[in-house]
Amino acid sequence: MSWKRVLLFVPPAITLTLGVWQVYRLQWKLGLIKHREERVQMDPVDLPYPVTEKDITDLEFAPVWVKGTFDHSKEHLMLPRFNEGEVGAHVITPFTRTEGETIMINRGWVPRTKQDRATRTEPDVGEVTVIGLPRVSAKAKGSSFMPDNNPEKREWYWLDIPSMAKAMGTQPVMLDAWKDKTQIANPDRPVPGQTPISLKNDHMQYAITWFSLTFFLGLMCRHYIRQPPKVMNLSKSRRY
């Protein structure tokens, strides 16, 4: 077999490899989603005190109880955030636990018309109990098109927990307020339960695309290889 024919198999080999890689990615993503779904169904436990980074990693997406008071004067916003197709923001508020340490709680989503704290009659004053899901900080912003965080304006676009804690004067600990069935609905209270549990999962479509390309490239290789080799007609080139 000539080296030209060997090179024919390089493209389908690459697409086949990419298809197999997407299958592995699919299994990884399904496992991650299942892990999150199982964790949020667990019964709430007390958040350890003092809470450590290891505690947060071990308890990520598992409901925890905390009791304390909010400092609404120091709330920050995460922008833009969507709820049922409507744009708004998540309200991040310092929360001083009864044990003494101050953490951050993402209280949930508010529409644009309620982003200014002055437009809300705050229902959560005094000592309250919150069920939340511990969150781990993102390592970097999602893309180059995402705006930079702006601590001076109290505006955040990606979850940089250490920087947020420094700006708000808290421990580098973030809880997402989770849905509490006993909580009475209030239009001035941020909508809790905004933690992304279901993740975008396009790996099956990608795998099908790569395997389809492999199939058609394989057909092209088969067609080329089965063609009879060209024979030079020496009679026309013979000189007399």
Side-chain angles (χ1 to χ4, degrees):
M1 184 180 292
S2 67
W3 65 270
K4 290 184 178 180
R5 292 195 174 189
V6 172
L7 289 178
L8 287 174
F9 291 96
V10 173
I14 293 175
T15 55
L16 178 62
T17 302
L18 291 171
V20 172
W21 178 67
Q22 287 298 332
V23 171
Y24 280 111
R25 292 282 293 175
L26 172 65
Q27 297 301 318
W28 167 79
K29 183 64 69 68
L30 291 175
L32 186 61
I33 295 172
K34 182 180 179 181
H35 171 75
R36 293 188 178 190
E37 291 175 343
E38 290 176 346
R39 296 279 282 183
V40 298
Q41 298 300 322
M42 297 171 64
D43 293 330
V45 298
D46 289 331
L47 183 68
Y49 174 81
V51 63
T52 65
E53 183 177 350
K54 183 178 184 303
D55 293 328
I56 296 300
T57 302
D58 293 342
L59 291 169
E60 188 178 21
F61 300 112
V64 297
W65 294 98
V66 286
K67 183 180 290 186
T69 56
F70 286 108
D71 185 352
H72 298 289
S73 66
K74 295 182 180 179
E75 71 178 29
H76 288 220
L77 298 177
M78 291 202 71
L79 303 159
R81 294 296 185 267
F82 294 85
N83 183 58
E84 297 181 353
E86 185 178 357
V87 69
H90 287 181
V91 179
I92 313 298
T93 310
F95 183 84
T96 300
R97 303 173 64 186
T98 54
E99 295 87 350
E101 69 180 353
T102 302
I103 63 174
M104 297 173 288
I105 293 184
N106 177 355
R107 299 179 60 219
W109 177 89
V110 293
R112 279 180 172 175
T113 56
K114 295 287 186 178
Q115 287 180 192
D116 186 345
R117 190 169 62 88
T119 62
R120 289 178 265 127
T121 303
E122 189 52 62
D124 296 322
V125 295
E127 187 174 87
V128 296
T129 299
V130 178
I131 299 176
L133 305 182
R135 296 300 307 276
V136 173
S137 182
K139 295 180 180 180
K141 62 181 182 179
S143 71
S144 57
F145 298 102
M146 184 178 294
D148 292 327
N149 290 327
N150 193 334
E152 290 76 18
K153 291 186 177 181
R154 299 188 177 188
E155 295 177 352
W156 303 84
Y157 297 91
W158 58 280
L159 192 62
D160 184 358
I161 291 178
S163 297
M164 297 173 76
K166 182 178 180 180
M168 301 172 74
T170 72
Q171 296 294 317
V173 175
M174 170 82 76
L175 303 183
D176 283 351
W178 194 233
K179 302 171 184 176
D180 185 353
K181 296 180 180 179
T182 65
Q183 191 178 65
I184 300 174
N186 188 309
D188 284 329
R189 177 182 285 121
V191 180
Q194 301 299 317
T195 308
I197 303 301
S198 295
L199 303 173
K200 185 178 180 181
N201 188 2
D202 294 329
H203 297 296
M204 177 62 76
Q205 294 91 315
Y206 294 151
I208 292 173
T209 299
W210 290 121
F211 287 140
S212 298
L213 283 172
T214 301
F215 175 74
F216 288 111
L217 288 171
L219 288 180
M220 294 173 62
C221 291
R222 179 175 178 271
H223 174 74
Y224 180 84
I225 291 173
R226 294 188 66 179
Q227 285 184 333
K230 295 181 180 180
V231 179
M232 182 181 295
N233 190 343
L234 297 178
S235 61
K236 292 184 178 180
S237 61
R238 185 177 297 171
R239 294 183 179 179
Y240 296 95

